[in-house]
Amino acid sequence: TPTEAQPYRFPDRDLPYEATGATYRLRQVDTDGTETLSETVEITRAAPTQLVLHGNYPNPFTRQTTIRYELPQTGPVRLTVYDVLGRRVATLVDREQAAGREEITFDAGRLASGLYVARLVTAGGVRTQRLTVVR
């Protein structure tokens, strides 16, 4: 254990997508086995600044996929899925949502294999993303 203060960097890959922040603390273990806990540190995640519809995962998928999006402002949100002929096959979201990060699971168990399009419509714009169902 060094006697000087050390900077630490930790990329938290397990932080839930929709989380707005987290609390951390360090556990120091000395060479003699003595443990010391640091004070807690609160980290706040920056709010989204633009409308984003992320690629779904997994893609391609057989039954279920997860769709993530970011809303920079509170307002009405509509997330729909269309087939390649432009027919609506599912409405996943159709309500007012607060600004922030959102995640939804889409169950395509009743859909045929093929290409589909997810369309996110908000007051701030429209975003689309391709989805591929395979059987």
Side-chain angles (χ1 to χ4, degrees):
T1 305
T3 57
E4 308 87 36
Q6 298 292 313
Y8 293 92
R9 182 179 201 114
F10 175 72
D12 190 350
R13 289 176 176 55
D14 294 328
L15 186 65
Y17 176 75
E18 61 280 348
T20 58
T23 303
Y24 297 95
R25 68 188 320 171
L26 294 174
R27 183 179 72 185
Q28 175 182 313
V29 181
D30 292 330
T31 54
D32 66 359
T34 305
E35 293 185 13
T36 307
L37 290 175
S38 72
E39 296 295 320
T40 58
V41 176
E42 297 279 336
I43 304 296
T44 303
R45 191 182 229 177
T49 58
Q50 59 184 356
L51 178 63
V52 178
L53 176 59
H54 295 282
N56 61 302
Y57 71 92
N59 195 24
F61 63 102
T62 56
R63 183 165 178 85
Q64 290 186 333
T65 190
T66 300
I67 300 171
R68 293 178 168 178
Y69 54 95
E70 298 178 22
L71 304 171
Q73 61 193 26
T74 298
V77 174
R78 186 173 176 99
L79 178 60
T80 50
V81 178
Y82 296 90
D83 64 14
V84 291
L85 298 176
R87 296 178 296 207
R88 186 180 66 219
V89 296
T91 300
L92 306 177
V93 178
D94 190 11
R95 66 180 180 277
E96 183 97 2
Q97 286 189 317
R101 293 169 182 83
E102 297 291 334
E103 177 178 276
I104 190 161
T105 300
F106 173 45
D107 185 345
R110 63 179 181 79
L111 298 179
S113 294
L115 189 63
Y116 295 85
V117 176
R119 184 170 190 247
L120 177 67
V121 179
T122 71
V126 177
R127 300 291 184 270
T128 59
Q129 183 67 43
R130 287 184 290 163
L131 314 172
T132 305
V133 176
V134 293
R135 301 276 182 229

